[in-house]
């Protein structure tokens, strides 16, 4: 009889490691910060827009007030836009040279102070039309850093593949701010029955409150909280990198 024994086959276990999975805790941390940054910048620019809409809502009351007319209203609008355009142009050169958080905070707090000051001119017995127009010019100048600075902050936190969607949703902050401003003004004028100047003072308070939250919570770069955004590889097109 054949006594040859077949050698036992050893029980081989796979020594290959399972594919690595992303750090779930880090992803949650990143997602939480992304939501926070999106919400903060959204509310920040919405509050800026609220001051503009508040001004638009109370223009009828303004032109009927003593010392002012539709000409004064037109001058305020014009000088505001000149200041805003000039400031945005300057910010384009300074954006990479300054701390973006400071730019946002300066815009928030200076705008809040100026809008409240414009609203308080009658209480302070400042009725000079040139002064009123000048304050609107400076207000436009101070609001100008907000948009480019916030766009830059968002670009640090969201990769290219989702940035278009994020910016599309974020751009609704202007319309949202207009709704806030209109409703605040309607409450002040028709519910509380206050003077038109209180519309500006209340919206200035809204801007200041958001600015305080920005000061304590806003983070410009992911690296500041120990997060690193992975750079995405750019695929070359058919005509790219041709010598």
């Amino acid at each position: 009889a054949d006594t040859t024994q077949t050698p036992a086959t050893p029980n081989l276990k796979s020594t290959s490691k399972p594919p690595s999975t992303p750090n779930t805790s880090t992803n949650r941390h990143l997602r939480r910060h992304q939501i926070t940054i999106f919400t903060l910048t959204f509310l920040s620019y919405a509050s800026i827009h609220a001051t503009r809409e508040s001004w638009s809502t109370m223009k009828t009351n303004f032109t009927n007030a003593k010392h002012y007319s539709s000409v004064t209203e037109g001058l305020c609008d014009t000088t505001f836009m000149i200041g805003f355009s000039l400031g945005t142009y300057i910010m384009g050169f300074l954006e990479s040279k300054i701390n973006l958080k400071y730019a946002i905070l300066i815009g928030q707090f200076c705008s809040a102070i100026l809008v409240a000051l414009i609203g308080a001119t009658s209480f302070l017995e400042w009725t000079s039309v040139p002064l009123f127009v000048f304050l609107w010019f400076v207000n436009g100048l101070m609001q100008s850093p907000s948009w480019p600075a916030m766009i830059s902050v968002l670009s640090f936190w969201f990769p290219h593949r989702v940035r278009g969607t994020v910016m599309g949703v974020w751009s609704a902050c202007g319309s949202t701010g207009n709704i806030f401003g209109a409703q605040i003004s309607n409450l002040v004028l028709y519910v509380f029955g206050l003077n038109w100047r209180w519309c500006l003072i209340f919206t200035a308070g809204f801007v200041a409150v958001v600015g305080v939250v920005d000061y304590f919570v806003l983070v410009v770069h992911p690296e500041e909280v120990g997060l690193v955004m992975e750079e995405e590889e750019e695929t070359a097109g058919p005509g790219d990198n041709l010598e």
Side-chain angles (χ1 to χ4, degrees), residues 182-195 199 202:
Q183 295 308 311
I184 290 172
S185 298
N186 288 332
L187 285 172
V188 170
L189 294 174
Y190 306 116
V191 177
F192 301 149
L194 298 175
N195 186 283
C199 299
F202 272 77

Side-chain angles (χ1 to χ4, degrees), residues 91 94-103 145 149:
M91 184 61 185
L94 299 179
E95 181 181 331
S96 60
K97 300 178 177 63
I98 62 175
N99 188 310
L100 295 177
K101 183 172 182 176
Y102 293 155

Side-chain angles (χ1 to χ4, degrees), residues 179-226:
I179 295 172
F180 287 161
Q183 295 308 311
I184 290 172
S185 298
N186 288 332
L187 285 172
V188 170
L189 294 174
Y190 306 116
V191 177
F192 301 149
L194 298 175
N195 186 283
W196 60 269
R197 296 177 185 276
W198 284 101
C199 299
L200 298 175
I201 295 173
F202 272 77
T203 50
F206 177 32
V207 177
V209 168
V210 177
V212 170
V213 177
D214 285 341
Y215 176 79
F216 288 104
V217 181
L218 183 65
V219 179
V220 174
H221 295 278
E223 292 81 2
E224 296 177 23
V225 289

Side-chain angles (χ1 to χ4, degrees), residues 44-94:
S44 296
Y45 205 71
S47 67
I48 292 291
H49 254 272
T51 63
R52 304 174 191 174
E53 183 63 24
S54 180
W55 165 247
S56 299
T57 303
M58 41 142 283
K59 278 183 178 179
T60 303
N61 304 75
F62 171 78
T63 54
N64 292 332
K66 187 179 180 181
H67 306 295
Y68 306 118
S69 65
S70 58
V71 176
T72 308
E73 173 195 322
L75 288 172
C76 291
D77 290 339
T78 302
T79 54
F80 173 85
M81 293 309 301
I82 291 174
F84 186 83
S85 301
L86 180 63
T88 304
Y89 181 78
I90 295 172
M91 184 61 185
F93 292 98
L94 299 179

Side-chain angles (χ1 to χ4, degrees), residues 110-192:
C110 288
S111 178
I113 292 170
L114 287 163
V115 172
L117 192 60
I118 293 169
T121 49
S122 63
F123 307 138
L124 301 172
E125 298 184 353
W126 296 348
T127 57
S128 170
V129 171
L131 175 62
F132 200 82
V133 172
F134 175 73
L135 289 175
W136 273 108
F137 170 79
V138 180
N139 184 34
L141 195 64
M142 291 297 101
Q143 287 191 9
S144 61
S146 299
W147 179 270
M150 292 176 191
I151 295 297
S152 295
V153 171
L154 286 171
S155 70
F156 296 144
W157 282 96
F158 294 94
H160 288 286
R161 66 178 182 274
V162 298
R163 197 172 295 165
T165 302
V166 169
M167 289 307 306
V169 177
W170 187 88
S171 297
C173 60
S175 301
T176 305
N178 291 342
I179 295 172
F180 287 161
Q183 295 308 311
I184 290 172
S185 298
N186 288 332
L187 285 172
V188 170
L189 294 174
Y190 306 116
V191 177
F192 301 149

